[in-house]
Amino acid sequence: MKRATWLIAVAIVLSASACSGGGGDDSAESVSPELSDPGDCIPIDMAVSSEKIALLTTLAEEFNASDEAQLGGGDCAFVRVQSKASGGATTLLTDGWPENDANGPRPVVWSPASSAWGQILNQRLDDKGEEPIAPESEPFMLTPLVIAMPEPMADALGYPETPVGYADILRLAQEPGGWGALGHPEWGPFRLGKTNPNFSTSALSSTIAQYYAATDKTEGLSLEDVDRADVREFAKGVESAVVHYGDITMTFLNNWFRNDARGTSLTYVSAVAVEEKSVIDYNKGNPDGILSPGEVPREPRVPLVAIYPTEGTLYSDNPFIVLDASWVTEQEKEAARKFETFIKEPGAQERVLEFGFRPGNPEVAIGEPISAQWGVDPEQPQTLLEVPEPQVLTGLLDRWQEDRKRAQVMLLLDVSGSMGDPGNPDTGETKLDLAKVAVIDALDEFATDDDVGLRVFTTNMGESALDDWQDLLPIEPLGGQREEMVRTVGNLVPLNGTPLYTATGDAYEAVLEQFDPTRINAVVLLSDGRNEDDRNSDLEGLINNLREQAEGENAQPVRVFAIAYGDDADLETLRRIAEATNAQVYDASDATTISRVFTAVVSNF
Amino acid sequence: MIITEPPRRRFMGPLLALIAAIVMVGASFAIRQLVIEGDDDDSSSSTTDTPSSDELSIVCAVELADVCARLDVGITLEPAGTTAAKIAAGDELGYDAWVTFAPMTSTVEPEGRTPLILAARTDRAEVLTAHCGGTVTWTCIGEVAGEPWSAIGGEETWGDVKPAHADPVSSGVGRLVLGQAVASFLATEDFSLIDWQSNDAFPGWFQQLKQGVPASAFAVNADPFDAWLRQRLAGFDIVATTEAQAVTELATVAPDLRDRVALIYPAPVATADVVLAPLAGGDDPSALADDLRDALEAQNYRVDDAPPEGAPADAPELPPTDGLPPAGVLEALIQLWEGIRA
């Protein structure tokens, strides 16, 4: 039986990804599309990393409509694809994939961006005394980790005539004179863009590469290596150059692109570890890898160059893992294998190439868009770094948590009256109730020596009736005030109006006043409404002020990560605020997603 | 044709591997008892009539899957090491024959042969050949394994010299390559435990070779040559394979990839000889021999000694023997190799 109709909602996937998910890198954004009815066929649920959701959705559609989906005996397979970030899926699978609306159905097939996630999953299961469920699998497409750098900066390093390695990049990151050491003081300090390895595959790979560089090894990285004092110091030195972390490289790429339009791309960030595919997308004028309807790509004024580190690099190898999980039947495995065969056929592999990945089937030649025209080199990489043993991978993530750059963060929470509106009709919880839980849960993601403060805002609050905000806890090490933070957040109540602009501007200035160059300085702004402050309606003034202070080689960057919370939030204004500070807006218009969104926001630290 | 696969081996721990290695040292002798060697003793066969080929069932070494898939018989694919261990343990396999490589069943005549070769990027092959004095040997490869390419005339960007071969414990070809490498170093295929124990240079060379091979070459269920092609030649520098596999697979890969691959026949030439070994308790599989030869030829094995189409113009003639040590010595070598891994 052929299935000609397959209505998985690609449009939903694409639009939902626009704020904080999508292409370029495996993101923490997980989108569960409206899964279509498999009819009489056997549904084969597949969880894939977000950067390949559009590709796999297309391929699944073609498979379902083909004779290849026939299983014999009148049965047929129906592949359904959902986007799940690799790090998030690893956590879900470790916990047995609790089935609910947010998580979606338990997968038969899992395709994280890198097989390293499969190793981490098996190691975590082993730590729990459980059997592994992710057998070793063949990749069906590849994309190497590269260091993306604006072309003038790569030229200044002499690349490609002069080989550039992680060690060179990392030394430059610790160079006190920054780019001045290479004759370009106008570019300011060397700023490294790096995502959070607990969420992002490119970050996981670059962290592995970083530790290899620190040990001068290319294989056999051990826990003993990682624990060496000099290696830890090296790692901390590298992390000190990071502008902020985050769940997706797309944040950096989008901000880079916006800065490019203003001619300031060279002072935003100097280098970002991304997948090769992202460099292609960026140089094509599509930094997030997704073209919205009507969006016309504009090639950047300053293109990026993919630097393939001389020590070697790692592939995001996109394994096709048919899970050995208790919920997977033999028939489902058989059907999954048929889909695996289908996507490795040359026809499907040509599609892979169109999307900027390297085909896993060597029968298909590497061609456009993997070419110098788009800043990448099909002859590279020349050599690969070895993926460490699973226990080293999990140990490495633990060490990173200890060595990462610390943060100085003000949590700026909207306690306007509308926060008392229903957030979850099923439970009767208000938006504020849900936000409290999200904030308290996310505190676990901070280190005890991260400085975290709490400020709330609404009109007519505080000692003076004219005050628009109130500091409830100062920005101090969280370890010393965690319990008080939990208690204080728990006691919040909804009050008056939303003085969004004043509260944002004042919070920004407050963090700027105590700017600490050794930390990530940021405001986390959560708001569910529009500015309702008659005394200050000057949005343009706010945006201009934020932008002016964020630009230039001597800028002291304070990022405002904004969460648009609930249906009535002013997403576009919050987006402008976030982007003015080279940060990111997060869409939690569905209030029940706030916990996941808040965790993604905190991944920036 | 029905192909089944037994449950895949996963996470074989070092202790299990060691036990397996120890068992397999004795296994090589037991195999000779349980595999009916040659045609001169039909007494242990369970039947006196020769069944037709489609009534037979065979267990087939994983590397020979494409060959066995061409046979009209019931097939079970299994790593050669696994089958050997079962036979050594005295298990009744329930098959009529074992299609595998010769050293496992040394007195059965091969149905087809293929040289053990190396595949390398052309630029690496040139540098390596020059460094090795014009002729690449495993002795030379072991000496440079893990060293920077720049130290032997290559580019800095090539990193360290990374040779690769399949896991000798589980892979039939992997164990042959290990035998070929050591035969190269000791300059004889007819060596014994005493030869390597009395050679002062051997431990260092063997260790360097072992540790110079990336662990990813030994990934479960992975063939390093396949992985190398998938990774567009990035993961390894020199990959041990067979002429048959290389010619077959390179015929289908994209031209831009094929043009960057050089095939090297390391000296002295050794061969992977494929045998159809009757198993104790099974029917006589001789009716399958012709089909097996056809299948081998179709997969670019040498049945009449002529190199297959697609082999390099300077592909050598085959030596009269496989150039490899006997099965017992191979098993002991694997044990030694495992010891270095631990």
Side-chain angles (χ1 to χ4, degrees):
Chain A
M1 182 179 72
K2 287 190 177 181
R3 298 283 310 180
T5 56
W6 197 71
L7 301 174
I8 197 160
V10 178
I12 294 174
V13 171
L14 302 185
S15 62
S17 302
C19 278
S20 56
D25 182 28
D26 179 17
S27 89
E29 179 72 10
S30 295
V31 180
S32 297
E34 191 175 305
L35 296 173
S36 52
D37 181 2
D40 295 330
C41 293
I42 297 165
I44 305 301
D45 286 304
M46 183 172 183
V48 307
S49 49
S50 55
E51 76 284 357
K52 57 178 179 271
I53 180 67
L55 169 63
L56 265 296
T57 299
T58 302
L59 293 175
E61 187 174 15
E62 292 174 2
F63 172 78
N64 292 338
S66 76
D67 291 339
E68 305 300 318
Q70 301 306 306
L71 300 177
D75 289 330
C76 52
F78 188 88
V79 176
R80 302 191 300 192
V81 186
Q82 63 169 328
S83 171
K84 282 291 172 196
S86 301
T90 303
T91 301
L92 283 173
L93 288 166
T94 305
D95 296 337
W97 199 284
E99 281 192 301
N100 55 42
D101 288 345
N103 297 340
R106 288 171 166 168
V108 172
V109 183
W110 178 39
S111 182
S114 166
S115 54
W117 291 109
Q119 294 185 36
I120 290 171
L121 168 63
N122 286 341
Q123 182 63 41
R124 287 179 178 167
L125 290 170
D126 187 59
D127 291 345
K128 291 171 62 181
E130 297 179 16
E131 289 292 308
I133 64 171
E136 290 192 35
S137 319
E138 284 187 2
F140 65 93
M141 60 183 191
L142 306 158
T143 186
L145 176 77
V146 302
I147 299 167
M149 183 176 280
E151 192 173 62
M153 290 176 160
D155 289 344
L157 291 176
Y159 188 82
E161 288 75 20
T162 302
V164 174
Y166 281 107
D168 301 311
I169 294 291
L170 304 180
R171 267 194 297 274
L172 187 56
Q174 297 172 70
E175 170 63 50
W179 283 104
L182 291 174
H184 288 282
E186 73 277 15
W187 295 341
F190 187 93
R191 298 182 174 101
L192 187 61
K194 187 166 180 265
T195 38
N196 184 322
N198 288 296
F199 293 80
S200 158
T201 300
S202 60
L204 177 64
S205 296
S206 64
T207 302
I208 293 169
Q210 174 181 312
Y211 279 95
Y212 269 126
T215 56
D216 201 23
K217 283 182 157 188
T218 59
E219 60 179 338
L221 190 70
S222 67
L223 283 176
E224 289 74 24
D225 293 329
V226 172
D227 281 334
R228 274 170 31 197
D230 61 320
V231 171
R232 298 294 289 274
E233 278 307 304
F234 183 93
K236 287 178 182 175
V238 172
E239 300 298 332
S240 71
V242 169
V243 294
H244 63 82
Y245 297 104
D247 53 348
I248 47 173
T249 54
M250 194 187 74
T251 304
F252 294 108
L253 295 165
N254 275 338
N255 287 337
W256 231 343
F257 202 71
R258 273 190 298 276
N259 278 275
D260 177 82
R262 295 198 300 272
T264 57
S265 62
L266 298 176
T267 54
Y268 164 54
V269 66
S270 309
V272 182
V274 299
E275 292 170 343
E276 179 188 67
K277 168 190 167 30
S278 296
V279 175
I280 296 169
D281 289 338
Y282 183 95
N283 286 340
K284 283 187 164 186
N286 182 20
D288 56 11
I290 295 172
L291 283 179
S292 304
E295 182 182 350
V296 178
R298 170 192 65 80
E299 290 185 25
R301 296 197 291 184
V302 178
L304 298 181
V305 170
I307 292 176
Y308 301 83
T310 185
E311 303 96 334
T313 190
L314 295 107
Y315 268 124
S316 288
D317 57 359
N318 297 281
F320 189 98
I321 300 174
V322 181
L323 292 167
D324 272 340
S326 59
W327 61 81
V328 180
T329 67
E330 288 303 314
Q331 191 178 31
E332 288 171 335
K333 288 183 180 178
E334 181 198 349
R337 293 283 174 221
K338 297 197 76 155
F339 184 53
E340 181 180 18
T341 300
F342 179 83
I343 63 174
K344 289 179 178 174
E345 292 294 328
Q349 293 283 299
E350 294 284 359
R351 290 292 190 86
V352 160
L353 185 60
E354 289 170 16
F355 277 74
F357 292 97
R358 298 182 178 215
N361 183 343
E363 294 178 34
V364 178
I366 290 182
E368 289 295 329
I370 299 175
S371 70
Q373 180 185 358
W374 304 114
V376 302
D377 183 355
E379 298 297 317
Q380 297 281 357
Q382 291 280 319
T383 187
L384 298 180
L385 298 172
E386 186 178 273
V387 177
E389 294 291 313
Q391 67 273 22
V392 178
L393 284 174
T394 53
L396 189 144
L397 289 175
D398 292 340
R399 305 314 186 269
W400 176 84
Q401 200 68 32
E402 296 167 12
D403 295 341
R404 67 166 174 77
K405 192 174 188 178
R406 290 303 188 244
Q408 175 174 259
V409 180
M410 176 186 285
L411 302 179
L412 178 63
L413 306 184
D414 183 342
V415 291
S416 60
S418 56
M419 288 289 281
D421 293 344
N424 186 340
D426 294 339
T427 64
E429 292 169 293
T430 66
K431 286 191 284 187
L432 188 56
D433 290 335
L434 296 174
K436 288 178 186 178
V437 173
V439 172
I440 291 169
D441 287 349
L443 293 178
D444 292 339
E445 305 298 322
F446 286 103
T448 55
D449 54 348
D450 279 322
D451 290 344
V452 184
L454 176 64
R455 175 179 287 187
V456 293
F457 70 98
T458 187
T459 51
N460 306 115
M461 74 180 308
E463 295 176 1
S464 160
L466 296 178
D467 287 346
D468 289 323
W469 46 261
Q470 186 173 9
D471 282 324
L472 299 182
L473 288 169
I475 301 176
E476 288 183 356
L478 181 62
Q481 60 179 5
R482 189 182 188 288
E483 295 309 314
E484 197 175 351
M485 179 79 75
V486 170
R487 191 167 50 249
T488 304
V489 169
N491 289 335
L492 295 177
V493 292
L495 295 170
N496 307 315
T498 308
L500 181 61
Y501 305 158
T502 297
T504 302
D506 289 356
Y508 179 90
E509 294 296 336
V511 176
L512 187 61
E513 275 179 23
Q514 57 186 90
F515 181 84
D516 182 345
T518 67
R519 292 174 180 263
I520 298 166
N521 297 268
V523 175
V524 172
L525 164 62
L526 181 148
S527 176
D528 77 329
R530 298 175 182 278
N531 186 57
E532 296 170 326
D533 183 3
D534 294 338
R535 291 167 294 159
N536 182 0
S537 58
D538 184 9
L539 175 61
E540 295 310 315
L542 172 65
I543 298 295
N544 289 336
N545 183 48
L546 296 176
R547 185 173 290 153
E548 282 170 12
Q549 299 197 62
E551 290 178 351
E553 66 271 25
N554 297 317
Q556 294 183 319
V558 174
R559 320 280 176 192
V560 179
F561 295 96
I563 303 170
Y565 183 41
D567 286 341
D568 299 326
D570 191 350
L571 176 62
E572 277 314 302
T573 294
L574 292 171
R575 183 193 306 279
R576 292 188 65 196
I577 289 171
E579 290 177 357
T581 64
N582 289 319
Q584 183 185 1
V585 68
Y586 292 79
D587 183 357
S589 51
D590 175 355
T592 61
T593 65
I594 186 60
S595 278
R596 177 170 57 75
V597 170
F598 210 93
T599 299
V601 174
V602 176
S603 75
N604 286 287
F605 316 120
Chain B
M1 177 193 67
I2 300 169
I3 297 180
T4 59
E5 285 189 74
R8 292 178 174 178
R9 182 176 67 98
R10 292 177 308 175
F11 303 102
M12 187 177 180
L15 180 59
L16 188 56
L18 179 60
I19 292 170
I22 293 169
V23 168
M24 288 163 70
V25 172
S28 61
F29 303 102
I31 287 167
R32 294 187 183 189
Q33 303 304 312
L34 292 166
V35 174
I36 306 164
E37 308 232 356
D39 299 323
D40 57 344
D41 180 8
D42 290 334
S43 60
S44 56
S45 179
S46 63
T47 62
T48 52
D49 296 332
T50 301
S52 60
S53 62
D54 59 359
E55 295 175 296
L56 297 168
S57 67
I58 61 173
V59 57
C60 183
V62 170
E63 295 93 334
L64 295 165
D66 290 339
V67 170
C68 292
R70 293 174 176 271
L71 303 176
D72 188 22
V73 293
I75 296 167
T76 296
L77 296 175
E78 194 167 73
T82 303
T83 311
K86 288 178 180 175
I87 293 172
D91 292 353
E92 185 71 39
L93 298 186
Y95 305 110
D96 301 306
W98 183 19
V99 178
T100 188
F101 297 106
M104 309 299 290
T105 57
S106 55
T107 63
V108 180
E109 285 297 311
E111 306 294 344
R113 308 177 67 195
T114 188
L116 296 170
I117 67 166
L118 301 165
R121 282 183 186 242
T122 49
D123 50 4
R124 267 69 153 182
E126 287 175 16
V127 170
L128 182 67
T129 303
H131 175 77
C132 294
T135 303
V136 175
T137 65
W138 273 101
T139 302
C140 181
I141 292 171
E143 289 167 352
V144 299
E147 299 293 326
W149 275 103
S150 55
I152 63 168
E155 300 288 331
E156 185 186 345
T157 54
W158 297 353
D160 295 339
V161 177
K162 291 195 281 285
H165 58 75
D167 184 355
V169 175
S170 60
S171 159
V173 170
R175 65 182 51 206
L176 303 189
V177 169
L178 190 66
Q180 182 190 27
V182 175
S184 165
F185 184 82
L186 297 175
T188 175
E189 66 193 71
D190 187 22
F191 62 86
S192 69
L193 192 68
I194 293 170
D195 291 311
W196 76 60
Q197 285 180 335
S198 61
N199 188 318
D200 291 342
F202 180 79
W205 172 85
F206 196 62
Q207 180 161 322
Q208 182 169 356
L209 175 61
K210 168 69 192 295
Q211 294 180 339
V213 177
S216 56
F218 310 132
V220 178
N221 299 323
D223 179 286
F225 184 68
D226 289 343
W228 185 62
L229 292 178
R230 265 199 311 275
Q231 294 176 343
R232 311 283 165 166
L233 319 185
F236 316 118
D237 295 314
I238 313 154
V239 185
T241 180
T242 64
E243 178 189 72
Q245 182 185 15
V247 168
T248 301
E249 296 190 19
L250 288 175
T252 62
V253 304
D256 69 316
L257 186 57
R258 183 167 58 239
D259 292 346
R260 290 191 288 136
V261 176
L263 301 183
I264 301 169
Y265 293 75
V269 174
T271 60
D273 293 356
V274 181
V275 295
L276 176 66
L279 291 172
D283 289 332
D284 179 2
S286 57
L288 198 59
D290 285 346
D291 289 346
L292 178 57
R293 279 192 290 274
D294 289 345
L296 286 165
E297 190 165 24
Q299 289 298 126
N300 292 306
Y301 283 78
R302 301 195 194 186
V303 173
D304 57 4
D305 285 354
E309 189 177 342
D314 58 351
E317 293 182 358
L318 298 184
T321 66
D322 63 10
L324 299 170
V329 176
L330 274 181
E331 298 299 342
L333 262 182
I334 290 168
Q335 188 181 13
L336 184 68
W337 186 85
E338 279 282 275
I340 293 175
R341 174 186 256 179

